[in-house]
Amino acid sequence: MYLGLDLGTSELKALLLSAQHEIVATAHAPLSVQHPSPLWSEQSPESWWEALETVMNALYDQHPEALAQVQGIGLSGQMHGAVLLDSNQAVLRPAILWNDGRSHVQCDELTAALPELSAIAGNLAMPGFTAPKILWVRAHEPAIFEQVHCVLLPKDWLRLKLCGEAVSEMSDAAGTLWLDIAQRDWSDRILAVCGLTRAHMPRLVEGSARSGTLLPEWSQRWGIPVDVPIAGGAGDNAASAIGMGIGVGCSGEGFVSLGTSGVVFVASDQYTPNPEKAVHAFCHALPNRWHQMSVMLSAASALTWARRVLQIESEAALLELAASVPPATRESAPLFLPYLTGERSPHNNANAQGAWFGLTAQHDSAALAYAVAEGVGFGLLDGLETLSLGATNDLSVVGGGSRSDWWLQLLADIFQMNLHLHSGAQTGAALGAARLGWLATGPQTTAHFEAVCIRPPIEKTFSPSTHNVAWRAVLARRHGRFQALYQATHRLMGAHSG
């Protein structure tokens, strides 16, 4: 049995995986995000531990015999968050999260101080990354910065609690801007510009490798065998790829993640940065593998926002309402810019804002709902077009948004690609974490990776409606208007281009 722990933004999920690749049990605990000022997004690390205790207690109450068979533990988590610790490992302030946009000034300062930044880190400086957050703390909370002894990413703070060691791994560390992506090692030059050294950084391992062992007190509390290894793990998107069996063998395999944020992920056995297009080039969770990502900050979370504003009971009901708009009238529907919390790819604009545009007295809540579902798809398409997809015309789909067949069909039509929904798609990152825990118990070989990271069965495939030429033309025209709308309005948003 293998245990995967996935620390998301809105919940912490635990998953038990058998050696026969069966998901034996899952448990969930909700998390809340605080927004103390505009553009700010924070969480208390203590709330992560409370959530972990909740899910582990639930598994212990309901599946003690399965926990007693756990041989490996893997971690995945939301990327980029800054957890600042003092010399006693006490948390100095709430963690600044991936979707926090306060540090755009520090991005400019970092780029000016080190023009070679993107050549080393493979990425542009964006407010979402960890390094600009630390520069913001140094500028605005100097007393806290002076006490910083160690900087950890969210899942790595949980690791510290679980095994007592400060360790990170390549896929998550790549999202800090402190990693030399090609060398898979901390960059002393970038750290120095931020007023830090290697002494402030956790030890690095590969995601499939052992990072430590579970402390005896937790083994006793939850009935887990002693000395169970904890894998390096992965950032949430790399973990989802492992859960889908993507990036183990062939290059060019990829997926779309419809979570709080929206991600298009493409794996490669080559390091192929493209910072000019705001593409993220990161290490994968397996040795000698990398990936590209485009990231939009509001995907399924845009549905949640619209549901609340339109006073609809659920995201599923919102999508049902959107689906009720007759195809013949969709061309006259409003457009929706999904930039509710700024945007990364391809705009790199922390000040980007959302909008419904083109409203008339004839539009109703169904038209507004349709515009949101379509607008998220157009935002994902803009990111997709920046990636090196090669000849592939297929992507897998993961995340909570993959529950709607209607939305997946709309996205297949927008992308003009086949979208495959696999078994366990909603558990992607937690499944990937469990598999990485499994990998840490065996040899670090391609054969072991391929045996563990199998592709889950395809449940459904959504193919573009290639026979409907008129519908394709409607979407193409609306996408063109969507892009023109952003270009016409981004200066009115107080836009900041990095």
Side-chain angles (χ1 to χ4, degrees), residues 21 243-244 420-425 435 454-460:
H21 297 279
M244 293 294 102
H420 302 297
L421 183 65
H422 298 261
S423 300
R435 286 179 165 186
I454 61 173
R455 187 68 62 91
I458 294 175
E459 292 185 345
K460 297 178 182 178

Side-chain angles (χ1 to χ4, degrees), residues 11 31 64 97 108 128 155 158 166 169 185 209 234 284 298 302 307 328 368-369 376 419 426 469:
E11 71 171 9
L31 294 165
L97 301 189
D108 288 344
K155 79 171 193 321
L158 285 181
E169 47 70 41
D185 191 17
H284 200 2
S298 295
R307 172 193 64 75
L368 294 175
V376 172
L419 299 182
Q426 288 81 38
V469 177

Side-chain angles (χ1 to χ4, degrees), residues 119-343:
I120 301 170
N123 297 274
L124 295 178
M126 299 182 184
F129 291 117
T130 320
K133 296 176 172 64
I134 300 302
L135 290 175
W136 185 92
V137 171
R138 183 169 70 172
H140 295 274
E141 299 175 347
I144 289 177
F145 181 81
E146 289 301 319
Q147 298 177 69
V148 173
H149 181 76
C150 183
V151 182
L152 292 180
L153 293 159
K155 79 171 193 321
D156 299 328
W157 182 80
L158 285 181
R159 184 200 320 275
L160 179 67
K161 297 277 287 184
L162 288 169
C163 75
E165 296 191 50
V167 185
S168 191
E169 47 70 41
M170 305 304 173
S171 70
D172 215 356
T176 64
L177 275 187
W178 290 316
L179 197 74
D180 183 324
I181 306 292
Q183 300 301 317
R184 303 173 87 93
D185 191 17
W186 298 121
S187 167
D188 294 307
R189 293 181 65 194
I190 305 176
L191 287 169
V193 172
C194 297
L196 302 172
T197 70
R198 283 175 182 263
H200 294 95
M201 296 294 106
R203 174 170 58 89
L204 287 171
V205 299
E206 292 289 348
S208 57
R210 177 188 295 241
S211 68
T213 56
L214 188 66
L215 291 171
E217 61 185 294
W218 309 127
S219 294
Q220 294 168 10
R221 178 168 174 179
W222 294 312
I224 296 173
V226 297
D227 297 328
V228 165
I230 298 177
D236 50 4
N237 290 297
S240 291
I242 295 297
M244 293 294 102
I246 290 171
V248 180
C250 300
S251 292
E253 299 171 330
F255 69 83
V256 179
S257 174
L258 300 173
T260 302
S261 61
V263 171
V264 185
F265 178 111
V266 180
S268 176
D269 56 7
Q270 309 251 334
Y271 171 48
T272 54
N274 185 11
E276 294 78 15
K277 294 291 183 68
V279 170
H280 296 359
F282 292 160
C283 301
H284 200 2
L286 301 177
N288 301 313
R289 291 164 176 84
W290 290 263
H291 64 84
Q292 286 187 330
M293 286 196 305
S294 67
V295 179
M296 64 182 297
L297 296 180
S298 295
S301 57
L303 302 185
T304 302
W305 172 84
R307 172 193 64 75
R308 186 174 66 250
V309 169
L310 298 175
Q311 298 184 350
I312 297 170
E313 61 270 21
S314 67
E315 286 79 2
L318 179 92
L319 290 172
E320 288 179 10
L321 184 63
S324 71
V325 176
T329 66
R330 289 177 184 172
E331 185 160 19
S332 61
L335 293 168
F336 178 73
L337 296 183
Y339 313 128
L340 299 175
T341 53
E343 190 55 300

